[in-house]
Amino acid sequence: MFIRFLNINDMKLLCCLGFFFFVLISSSYANNYNTPGTGVKWNLDDLVINSAGDVTFSAGIFHINDTIFIRQNDTLYITADAIVDFAVNTYLDVNGTLIVDPPTAVTFTAQNVSGGFYGIRVDSSNSTVLRKLTLEYAVSLRLNDCNIIVDSCIFRYNSPTTNFGNAAISLFRASPVITNCQFLDNQRAAIQGGANINNAPKIIGCLFRGNNTLNLNVPQINLGATGDGTDTVQIINNQILRASVNSGGIGFLPIGNVYAVIKGNVIKNNRYGMTFNGGSNINTLISYNQVDSNNIQGDPFLGGSGISFAGGTATSQQNSIVTGNLFRWNLWGITILNRSRPNLGNITNADTADDGKNQFINNTNAATPGIDLYNNSVDPIFAQNNYWGSNDINDIENKIFHQVDNPVLGPVNYSNFILPVELTQFTALAKEKNVILNWQTVSENNSHVFIIEKSSDGRLFIPIATISASGYTSSFKTYSYTDKLVFHFNHTFFYRLKMVDQDNRFNYSSVVTMNLDHDVQTQAVKIYPTYITASQVIQVNIISSKNQTVTIGFFDATGRKLSQTTKLLTAGNNQFTCKPDAHLPNGLIYVGFTGEDINRTIKVLKH
């Protein structure tokens, strides 16, 4: 029924992009400057001196007036803050080494913003390092056959369509390490490699926001093949946010093999979150990402999946594992087309890397309301050990479209669904005057807070504290809370946890009990009477093991201190009177005696 609802146009365009080969920019400019190739180590001032006007300096800005070639064996160092502007149709071509590492910032910009410039091309130069560089109004940082370092850089307003490159960073057999960078409002993709060209970038800790301002049909990160498995794409701990209406977050359509780890990213407010098109050539681990609100186009026939899997055949299906992710407020959580057959949670095998633990929260669209998982394939899908926002199996069934809804489709095995918090222990321990509550979770998915509730009768519980939960974790997490001064009350108390997830659903822990009627000083402190009037004094008898000061406090039934006095004790038997404050309220009052080795609380009824 909904055969075409997933990113079909995306797949066509990605396929076309996959066969794109970069057209090499020739060096036939009449006045291009080439460094001597003799092993020189120059800075920008040296280029001004030696380039015969191709590099000039005025008004605090270095001007690149024609293309500059850094030849093999030569190095250009830019280690001071600088602004460098480029004439139209010029670029910096690096066959040697480029080191950009200023104290604060180096900016490469255009002399004519409307005309732009080509940018930077790095060929076979693994020694190049770019730090704190802003590249703007260019076509691309184009990397050919090199594995450079790009750290703490800003790429903005780049990449109009030319044959120099089609993204802010364009890859051709390149595996750069790209860390802590910002990709902002570039005209096409932020990072792109051809479908049939092996690239394996490591993209870690970067911000992608508002890219593809031309509103073409490309994702912000657009990659193809990675090679034979000796290298792996890593897309880890990035924020991939607010693309144009037609843009997704991450796309893979390889002609060749893909090996990728996509972990810990926030992918939010794109047209779709991620898309993978292929069969057994795709090998991915997609874990602990927040895939959120990828619905900005709003048309379920053109996109809107948290993840879209497509492609494959009966004998060639993806090796994609999806574990520990949050899918929330997308048009769908996950959609599966053709014979791609991803693994969304299989606890029947020995491998624990594919144990589900995904969260599906309120993914919906007008065509198929409330569907978190749409299996639009004939294959059975494992989706065990996930959280579907409910403990009711009928509710969960309504969130999954599969063979139950259409007999030509494959079934989804969603057994062993989990709660937001898996609690392994909850204990209470008496220590000094306090009760220490400890609890431990083995996993948390979509958890928000723990509300500690307390009762004096085991029936009526009142909240006494709120502790923030970790949200998402697959490892052991320990929490603790101290209920203070409860030993002023010889009583039994009951505690429980209200475990609340981020959608205000909640579950309760078991109840733990703390009996405080075991004070070893019971016989050492006595009072009489325990039924008094407003003017009546209390006779006190305390056997003390030493000379010490005892504090005598009066508390109401909630534990609020009403008044306090002290008394000096001598070793042995001490007898004295104590007159309560006349303003103490009628009803149940607790009298607490606290010293170096004395801790006793006795109930008194005042009338």
Side-chain angles (χ1 to χ4, degrees):
M1 176 178 178
F2 293 101
I3 298 298
R4 290 176 55 91
F5 63 66
L6 277 180
N7 303 328
I8 299 301
N9 293 328
D10 290 336
M11 301 307 175
K12 291 179 180 178
L13 182 66
L14 284 168
C15 189
C16 293
L17 291 174
F19 286 103
F20 179 83
F21 289 90
F22 293 118
V23 177
L24 303 183
I25 302 297
S26 71
S27 59
S28 58
Y29 297 97
N31 298 315
N32 293 336
Y33 179 74
N34 290 260
T35 62
T38 57
V40 298
K41 297 182 178 180
W42 283 358
N43 59 23
L44 290 170
D45 292 324
D46 294 315
L47 286 178
V48 171
I49 293 170
N50 290 281
S51 66
D54 284 348
V55 182
T56 58
F57 180 80
S58 63
I61 298 175
F62 291 92
H63 308 286
I64 306 295
N65 303 310
D66 213 330
T67 295
I68 304 299
F69 289 85
I70 308 301
R71 294 177 61 183
Q72 189 175 5
N73 301 320
D74 291 347
T75 300
L76 173 62
Y77 282 94
I78 308 177
T79 55
D81 293 343
I83 298 174
V84 184
D85 64 18
F86 288 71
V88 173
N89 294 333
T90 66
Y91 62 101
L92 184 63
D93 192 304
V94 181
N95 288 276
T97 298
L98 172 62
I99 304 293
V100 178
D101 193 5
T104 305
V106 167
T107 299
F108 283 8
T109 190
Q111 294 179 12
N112 180 346
V113 170
S114 61
F117 67 108
Y118 283 132
I120 308 171
R121 172 176 167 169
V122 182
D123 281 280
S124 305
S125 174
N126 292 334
S127 56
T128 287
V129 176
L130 305 179
R131 287 194 174 96
K132 302 177 185 176
L133 170 67
T134 295
L135 180 67
E136 62 182 18
Y137 302 109
V139 174
S140 186
L141 167 62
R142 175 176 162 185
L143 305 179
N144 298 333
D145 297 294
C146 62
N147 306 322
I148 74 169
I149 293 173
V150 184
D151 177 63
S152 302
C153 295
I154 299 173
F155 298 85
R156 61 190 180 194
Y157 320 133
N158 299 298
S159 62
T161 304
T162 75
N163 49 5
F164 189 90
N166 280 279
I169 297 182
S170 301
L171 306 176
F172 188 90
R173 295 192 301 264
S175 299
V177 177
I178 304 170
T179 55
N180 307 310
C181 293
Q182 298 181 43
F183 296 83
L184 310 174
D185 301 311
N186 295 288
Q187 296 185 41
R188 290 175 60 92
I191 301 174
Q192 180 169 305
N196 56 341
I197 302 167
N198 294 340
N199 299 289
K202 280 67 176 171
I203 307 168
I204 302 170
C206 297
L207 170 64
F208 299 81
R209 189 181 66 210
N211 296 293
N212 189 23
T213 58
L214 293 178
N215 205 27
L216 301 172
N217 201 3
V218 294
Q220 298 201 62
I221 299 176
N222 188 14
L223 298 174
T226 65
D228 60 4
T230 58
D231 209 350
T232 301
V233 170
Q234 297 179 25
I235 304 175
I236 298 174
N237 295 340
N238 303 284
Q239 296 185 68
I240 305 171
L241 312 175
R242 296 202 302 275
S244 70
V245 169
N246 278 322
S247 286
I250 300 172
F252 279 87
L253 193 153
I255 308 300
N257 293 322
V258 163
Y259 296 88
V261 173
I262 302 171
K263 180 178 181 181
N265 303 283
V266 176
I267 306 171
K268 186 172 183 178
N269 294 129
N270 303 284
R271 173 183 164 191
Y272 56 86
M274 292 177 267
T275 183
F276 301 86
N277 192 308
S280 60
N281 60 318
I282 292 184
N283 306 272
T284 59
L285 175 61
I286 305 162
S287 62
Y288 298 96
N289 302 283
Q290 179 180 333
V291 188
D292 194 334
S293 305
N294 295 287
N295 54 20
I296 61 173
Q297 187 183 54
D299 186 345
F301 293 95
L302 296 176
S305 302
I307 304 181
S308 165
F309 293 99
T313 67
T315 58
S316 177
Q317 298 173 327
Q318 290 186 23
N319 301 301
S320 293
I321 295 174
V322 183
T323 182
N325 303 278
L326 168 66
F327 299 96
R328 180 174 61 186
W329 303 329
N330 308 286
L331 297 187
W332 289 276
I334 294 177
T335 47
I336 302 169
L337 280 171
N338 312 120
R339 306 301 299 274
S340 51
R341 200 176 184 181
N343 179 349
L344 312 183
N346 186 350
I347 61 174
T348 64
N349 60 21
D351 187 0
T352 59
D354 63 350
D355 278 359
K357 301 180 182 179
N358 300 290
Q359 299 293 306
F360 295 88
I361 307 294
N362 295 336
N363 301 284
T364 191
N365 65 82
T368 56
I371 298 299
D372 288 316
L373 172 59
Y374 199 120
N375 181 23
N376 199 16
S377 76
V378 299
D379 292 313
I381 299 297
F382 274 98
Q384 296 177 307
N385 203 41
N386 295 303
Y387 174 63
W388 304 90
S390 176
N391 302 326
D392 188 313
I393 193 169
N394 295 317
D395 289 344
I396 296 172
E397 174 59 48
N398 290 333
K399 298 171 183 287
I400 300 171
F401 197 95
H402 61 140
Q403 190 176 79
V404 174
D405 307 283
N406 185 339
V408 304
L409 301 178
V412 173
N413 182 343
Y414 57 88
S415 63
N416 300 89
F417 51 87
I418 61 174
L419 301 176
V421 176
E422 187 175 349
L423 193 68
T424 59
Q425 67 176 24
F426 178 41
T427 61
L429 172 68
K431 184 176 181 181
E432 298 178 350
K433 304 174 186 179
N434 308 322
V435 171
I436 312 297
L437 302 172
N438 293 298
W439 64 100
Q440 185 180 70
T441 63
V442 67
S443 67
E444 295 181 39
N445 295 278
N446 202 43
S447 60
H448 179 45
V449 294
F450 298 96
I451 299 176
I452 301 165
E453 296 185 346
K454 180 179 177 180
S455 172
S456 61
D457 59 10
R459 294 187 300 273
L460 177 62
F461 284 84
I462 60 172
I464 60 171
T466 299
I467 305 296
S468 296
S470 66
Y472 303 92
T473 179
S474 60
S475 58
F476 288 97
K477 176 75 173 178
T478 300
Y479 298 86
S480 183
Y481 175 76
T482 300
D483 190 14
K484 296 182 178 180
L485 301 177
V486 293
F487 270 64
H488 287 293
F489 309 92
N490 271 13
H491 195 63
T492 298
F493 287 111
F494 305 85
Y495 298 92
R496 70 182 183 186
L497 295 175
K498 184 178 181 181
M499 300 173 288
V500 184
D501 71 16
Q502 295 185 22
D503 298 282
N504 291 321
R505 302 174 188 270
F506 60 87
N507 290 281
Y508 286 107
S509 71
S510 59
V511 175
V512 297
T513 303
M514 175 54 64
N515 187 347
L516 306 181
D517 293 322
H518 62 276
D519 193 340
V520 296
Q521 297 293 330
T522 297
Q523 300 302 316
V525 180
K526 296 179 180 179
I527 65 174
Y528 178 84
T530 57
Y531 185 78
I532 63 173
T533 63
S535 59
Q536 193 168 3
V537 298
I538 297 173
Q539 302 290 330
V540 181
N541 189 324
I542 300 179
I543 300 173
S544 178
S545 63
K546 63 178 76 174
N547 294 338
Q548 61 180 305
T549 299
V550 65
T551 299
I552 306 168
F554 292 85
F555 303 84
D556 65 16
T558 68
R560 182 169 59 94
K561 184 182 291 185
L562 304 172
S563 65
Q564 177 178 298
T565 186
T566 59
K567 184 70 174 180
L568 182 62
L569 303 181
T570 60
N573 191 31
N574 296 264
Q575 294 181 342
F576 56 91
T577 61
C578 179
K579 185 175 182 179
D581 192 315
H583 298 292
L584 291 179
N586 291 335
L588 188 63
I589 295 173
Y590 294 87
V591 185
F593 299 85
T594 306
E596 295 180 34
D597 60 353
I598 295 172
N599 192 349
R600 175 75 168 125
T601 302
I602 301 173
K603 300 175 187 177
V604 172
L605 184 62
K606 180 175 177 290
H607 63 97

